[in-house]
Amino acid sequence: MSRKGFRLATVERLREKHLEEAAQALHLAQSAVREAQARRDDLLERLRAQRHGHNTPHELELEAVYRFRLRGDLAEVDHEMAKLTAKLAERRDSWLQARAEVHAVAALHDRYRKQRAEMLQRTEQREMDELAGSGRRLPGPFPGNDSGGS
């Protein structure tokens, strides 16, 4: 393998490794967003739920404090989700960039292989032409074995 082919193969492997790392980071970011969404859904459900009691003034006061706390927790989760969603978008962009780089290097490598094969084919054809032009016969049909009906 020539130096150029070796370098392209190395760059291709490095880009693929970078793509794998970006995919793992994207997966982790997606998992974090899903977890935050689950916490948010749980808080919303608890906030919507009616707790039944005797509705004494003391219980109403506790209920108000409880709901206030749930709203605070919900605000924190919403803030966290905004940050996680931004991070997810960043990780997705990074993954898309890494994927594009892998495709670009793979295309270069494929083109190099094709050019190399064409060059080898041209070299082989040139050698065949030189042999034919030098007057030497290539191994072929044996003399006396013509297909002309004598």
Side-chain angles (χ1 to χ4, degrees), residues 27 31 35 38 50-51 58:
H27 176 72
S31 296
E35 289 172 10
Q50 295 289 342
R51 293 181 7 168
H58 178 68

Side-chain angles (χ1 to χ4, degrees), residues 4-19:
K4 186 175 180 181
F6 176 73
R7 284 182 287 186
L8 280 172
T10 302
V11 170
E12 192 171 10
R13 281 192 303 274
L14 288 172
R15 296 290 188 231
E16 287 172 353
K17 183 178 180 200
H18 181 65
L19 177 61

Side-chain angles (χ1 to χ4, degrees), residues 96-128:
L96 288 171
Q97 178 67 30
R99 193 176 83 167
E101 290 173 0
V102 165
H103 287 302
V105 172
L108 283 174
H109 203 179
D110 289 343
R111 187 168 56 193
Y112 169 76
R113 287 184 195 120
K114 184 179 177 185
Q115 288 173 344
R116 180 98 170 133
E118 289 172 356
M119 184 185 72
L120 289 173
Q121 187 178 14
R122 282 193 303 269
T123 302
E124 185 178 309
Q125 184 63 45
R126 199 172 325 133
E127 289 173 1
M128 298 281 285

Side-chain angles (χ1 to χ4, degrees), residues 46 48-56 59-60 63 66-67:
R46 285 199 266 160
R48 288 184 189 128
Q50 295 289 342
R51 293 181 7 168
H52 300 288
H54 299 326
N55 292 333
T56 64
E59 288 174 340
L60 289 174
E63 181 72 17
Y66 174 73
R67 289 183 174 281

